[in-house]
């Protein structure tokens, strides 16, 4: 049995998570496995009931399940709260408390949407790679940090275990994908911390001799991702570089409503779309559920070791899109648009 905690959150969160839960139930029924989905409050929805964005009860439930599915949190109603009480603080807390040190973001171009990219279809068609971004170390956390009137400073520091564990995760993923290539991205020509990163990645690579490892400088990588994205299979990189490169990679594929993510730790994993709570369209049954449904595919691949089920979900998304069904965010001007529930039903039907 798979125990999943679902935390729909705010805005369009509950709408897209409802779609994702329909998909989980559909694959469970098809394959005959048992799934227990337990819903918990988080973000503004929790604040309204408990005066707290993240309760101990929700956190405890997340610690005691096989995977967490998150919608989105936040909205105008809670924007003026003090920083420590805001939804963003609760998001950082849940990631930290669950020890989620790796953020995975796929750049996958659906054939039916190949024209939706801002890049030429012959450049992006067939792109399918995964970015592993280190999430809990590097310059975003390093000490000392600060600024005064005349100087600002941050520290980019990595411990050996931090590099080892994300490199290992990336190589294992590459192995599960059929020994595809891993590209480690750094700035080793300028930064000592990057030289260290590179050394440790190469040491870990010794345990995966069947996998090709390439090193690339981050400036070149930014260029290569838009020039020829098909050359990549798995990218592994530090927090700062990954923050930027995963956004570039995501946008190759078109809309925010299409982009899933996974945040993985040693004992826990959380899956969520990369978009926010979209207050402008919340409650209107207009949101694209595909990012959240694809996050479920990542859950089956990474947390439940069922890549074939993940593929079925991706194939169902692809097959639904091939019929021409489009939510407003991915429709061409003048094209008929489908609702969240219609898009969900189209995908469930193909599972
Ligand atoms: P957003 O991602 O919510 O929305 C940006 C734009 O993209 C909006 O026009 C929205 O309608 C559209 N959009 C987003 N997801 C969509 C979907 N699935 N289908 C169709 N259209 C979609 O970003 P924002 O407007 O900057 O933030 C809104 C709120 O969400 C803020 O309170 C912010 O703090 C919060 N937020 C939360 C998360 C999270 O929970 N992880 C991430 C980002 C922003």
């Amino acid at each position: 049995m798979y125990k999943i905690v679902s935390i729909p959150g705010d805005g369009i969160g509950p709408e897209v998570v409802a779609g994702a839960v329909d998909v989980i139930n559909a694959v469970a029924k098809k394959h005959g496995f048992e799934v227990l989905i337990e819903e918990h409050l988080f973000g503004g929805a929790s604040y309204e009931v408990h005066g707290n964005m993240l309760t101990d009860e929700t956190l405890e439930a997340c610690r005691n399940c096989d995977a967490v599915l998150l919608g989105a949190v936040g909205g105008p109603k809670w924007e003026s709260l003090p920083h420590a009480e805001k939804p963003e603080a609760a998001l950082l807390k849940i990631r930290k408390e669950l020890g989620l040190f790796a953020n995975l973001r796929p750049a996958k171009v659906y054939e039916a949407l190949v024209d939706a990219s801002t890049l030429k279809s012959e450049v992006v068609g067939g792109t399918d790679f995964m970015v592993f971004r280190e999430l809990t170390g590097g310059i975003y956390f390093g000490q000392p940090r600060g600024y005064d009137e005349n100087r600002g400073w941050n520290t980019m520091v990595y411990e050996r275990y931090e590099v080892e564990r994300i490199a290992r995760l990336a190589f294992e993923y590459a192995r599960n994908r059929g020994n595809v290539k891993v590209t480690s991205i750094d700035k080793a020509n300028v930064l000592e911390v990057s030289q260290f990163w590179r050394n440790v990645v190469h040491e870990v690579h010794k345990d995966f001799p069947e996998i090709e490892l390439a090193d690339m400088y981050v400036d070149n990588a930014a260029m290569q991702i838009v020039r020829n994205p098909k050359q990549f299979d798995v990218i592994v990189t530090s927090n700062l570089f990954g923050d930027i490169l995963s956004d570039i990679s995501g946008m190759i594929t078109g809309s925010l409503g299409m982009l899933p993510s996974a945040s993985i730790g040693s004992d826990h994993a959380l899956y969520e779309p990369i978009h926010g709570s979209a207050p402008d369209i919340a409650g209107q049954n207009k949101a694209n559920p595909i990012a959240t449904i694809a996050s479920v595919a990542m859950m089956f691949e990474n947390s439940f070791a069922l890549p074939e089920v993940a593929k079925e979900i991706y194939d169902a998304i692809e097959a639904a899109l091939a019929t021409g069904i489009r939510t407003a965010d991915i429709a061409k001007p003048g094209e008929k648009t489908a609702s969240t529930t219609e898009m969900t039903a189209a995908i469930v039907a193909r599972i």
Side-chain angles (χ1 to χ4, degrees), residues 12 16 42 70-76 78-79 87-88 91 95 255-258 272-282 286-292 327-330:
I12 60 169
V16 292
F42 183 54
L70 172 64
V73 290
W78 307 285
E79 254 155 35
E88 288 85 350
L91 269 176
R95 289 174 186 149
S255 165
L256 214 52
M258 301 290 298
E272 60 180 321
I274 73 156
H275 60 71
S277 58
D280 52 336
I281 56 166
K286 271 188 190 165
N288 186 346
I290 292 178
T292 317
T327 43
D329 59 313
I330 51 172

Side-chain angles (χ1 to χ4, degrees), residues 52-69:
N52 183 348
M53 295 277 170
L54 175 60
T55 62
D56 290 344
E57 187 221 332
T58 294
L59 200 50
E60 208 41 40
C62 293
R63 285 203 185 97
N64 291 310
C65 68
D66 299 313
V68 180
L69 176 67

